[in-house]
């Protein structure tokens, strides 16, 4: 299913609500969720298959083309013999590995079933029905879902040049604001705010508003003015940083995320998370991956090399590419019959190249591509050259 389909379904449901089908949710003979649950537009993951095409290259979900550390794979097979036992609910070894690698106190780390779980738990813990949480215009679509699931109201702050704006976020702070979600770098734009801007945001937010810095792509960023947010968390009581093993560590299928937070936030999240929220294979894989610095380095270098190559090639074909510091590129297509993003998507799919439609993120004429293997990257450029009639 495409993003567009979900958006349409959502619109349709809204229309039905307005035209009387809302009675469905008012029926007394069936259980009904909170109305804020039915306001959620379901998240639509990237596609993995094309009917009739045997060999596909999935460049739709920002997964690592290098895959996980071999040490992580080995750790997973070792766990296979022990799955009758519950996992370590405190994630002690995984938190230790993360803490050693990043120079943190393990007591300030909570692990999650992907960072998605942590993003949800933060909303559950800090939002009451009617409270507001801010995210940016082209921010990650999990944020409005987490906010609504907690009964809160998402408030959207405009971006400038497809980049988060501290002033625009601050303008949206009101008496009911409790949370700000900021992806840095942001998905799907690939743009980022320098650490000075994050510090200014924290300094000007009311102290009771929790700033959640989602640094899912931090490993990839090599800029002197970028920091993932560790120092801010260490020195402020209202900042949390979330991280993931799904991207640079190549472990999306294991579902492992972590957050670094002040003690009082750690305490709140530990009260509401499932006692065994991270499974045994994930715990073992994450710790092994965290201790394999060489593999991570290789993934980051591959990404840098091919991101720059792809950006150059696509620009040379006349496509507009938003400058990205992450492992994906947002590519804008000409507003010309037969040359739009939807046309490109269909053409690329027929070649087995699966990118991500972006209408759900407010970019009806753009596709997002993840940096792939050398083979996938070269095939993509060749296919786009042909699509645009430049061969
Ligand atoms: C991919 C991604 C995540 C990671 O989610 P997981 O649940 O850890 O797989 C978080 N935030 C953003 C912005 C992402 O793009």
């Amino acid at each position: 299913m495409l993003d567009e389909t979900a958006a349409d379904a959502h619109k349709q449901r809204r229309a039905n609500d307005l035209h009387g089908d809302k009675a469905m949710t008012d029926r007394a003979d069936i259980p009904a969720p909170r109305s804020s649950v039915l306001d959620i537009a379901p998240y639509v993951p990237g596609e993995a298959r094309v009917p009739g095409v045997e060999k596909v290259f999935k460049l739709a979900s920002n997964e690592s083309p290098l895959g996980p550390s071999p040490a992580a794979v080995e750790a997973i097979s070792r766990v296979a013999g022990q799955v009758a036992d519950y996992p370590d609910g405190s994630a002690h070894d995984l938190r230790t590995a993360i803490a050693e690698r990043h120079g943190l106190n393990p007591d300030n780390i909570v692990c999650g079933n992907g960072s998605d779980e942590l993003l949800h738990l933060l909303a559950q813990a800090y939002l009451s029905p009617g409270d507001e949480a801010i995210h940016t215009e082209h921010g990650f679509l999990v944020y409005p879902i987490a906010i609504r699931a907690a009964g809160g109201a998402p408030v959207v702050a405009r971006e400038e040049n497809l980049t988060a704006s501290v002033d625009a976020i601050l303008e949206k702070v009101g008496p009911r604001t409790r949370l700000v979600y900021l992806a840095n770098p942001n998905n799907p734009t690939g743009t980022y705010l320098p650490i000075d801007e994050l510090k200014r945001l924290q300094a000007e937010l009311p102290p009771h508003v929790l700033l959640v810095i989602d640094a899912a792509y931090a490993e990839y960023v090599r800029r002197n003015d970028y920091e993932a947010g560790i120092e801010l968390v260490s020195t402020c009581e209202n900042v949390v940083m979330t991280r993931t093993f799904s991207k640079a560590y190549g472990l999306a299928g294991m579902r492992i995320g972590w957050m670094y937070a002040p003690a009082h936030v750690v305490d709140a999240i530990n009260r509401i998370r499932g006692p065994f929220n991270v499974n045994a294979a994930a715990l073992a894989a994450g710790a092994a991956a965290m201790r394999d610095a060489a593999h991570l380095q290789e993934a980051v270098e591959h990404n840098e090399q091919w991101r720059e190559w792809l950006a150059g090639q696509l620009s040379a074909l006349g496509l507009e590419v938003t400058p990205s510091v992450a492992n994906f590129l947002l590519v804008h297509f000409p507003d010309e019959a037969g040359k739009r993003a939807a046309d490109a998507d269909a053409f690329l799919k027929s070649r087995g190249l699966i990118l991500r439609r972006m209408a759900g993120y407010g970019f009806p004429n753009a596709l997002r591509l993840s940096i792939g293997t050398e083979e996938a990257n070269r095939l993509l450029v060749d296919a786009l050259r042909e699509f645009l009639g430049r061969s």
Side-chain angles (χ1 to χ4, degrees), residues 183-358:
N184 200 40
N186 184 51
N187 168 19
T189 51
T191 57
Y192 75 105
L193 283 184
I195 188 66
D196 285 352
E197 281 295 276
L198 286 198
K199 287 182 176 164
R200 184 165 78 84
L201 175 58
Q202 187 282 329
E204 297 190 26
L205 277 177
H208 64 272
V209 173
L210 187 64
L211 171 60
V212 178
I213 303 171
D214 175 352
Y217 299 94
E219 288 80 4
Y220 292 113
V221 188
R222 288 178 164 173
R223 295 293 176 99
N224 290 334
D225 59 355
Y226 176 83
E227 273 174 43
I230 286 175
E231 188 200 328
L232 260 182
V233 174
S234 301
T235 55
C236 307
E237 293 287 2
N238 65 333
V239 184
V240 171
M241 172 189 71
T242 60
R243 302 286 286 262
T244 184
F245 284 79
S246 299
K247 309 288 158 59
Y249 287 97
L251 285 166
M254 278 284 110
R255 313 303 305 126
I256 323 163
W258 57 281
M259 72 171 199
Y260 176 54
H264 63 93
V265 178
V266 167
D267 176 66
I269 299 307
N270 276 335
R271 285 169 196 264
I272 61 169
R273 71 176 173 87
F276 307 103
N277 61 327
V278 184
N279 73 69
L283 290 174
M290 193 46 75
R291 292 181 172 122
D292 187 351
H295 184 78
L296 179 70
Q297 175 86 355
E298 209 183 313
V300 171
E301 273 163 19
H302 173 93
N303 186 66
E304 184 139 304
Q305 178 191 343
W306 288 102
R307 183 185 64 212
E308 297 320 303
W309 183 82
L310 277 165
Q313 296 283 319
L314 300 181
S315 302
L317 291 176
L319 295 169
E320 191 195 329
V321 180
T322 301
S324 167
V325 294
N327 69 335
F328 54 83
L329 293 171
L330 184 66
V331 183
H332 308 267
F333 285 79
D335 188 14
E336 232 177 83
K339 300 282 180 237
R340 296 193 176 95
D343 308 307
D345 187 48
F347 182 88
L348 294 172
K349 268 207 191 103
S350 71
R351 304 293 165 97
L353 293 155
I354 307 178
L355 278 62
R356 191 76 160 260
R357 297 290 304 275
M358 285 284 120

Side-chain angles (χ1 to χ4, degrees), residues 134 136 185 224 390:
I134 299 171
T136 68
N224 290 334
R390 314 254 161 152

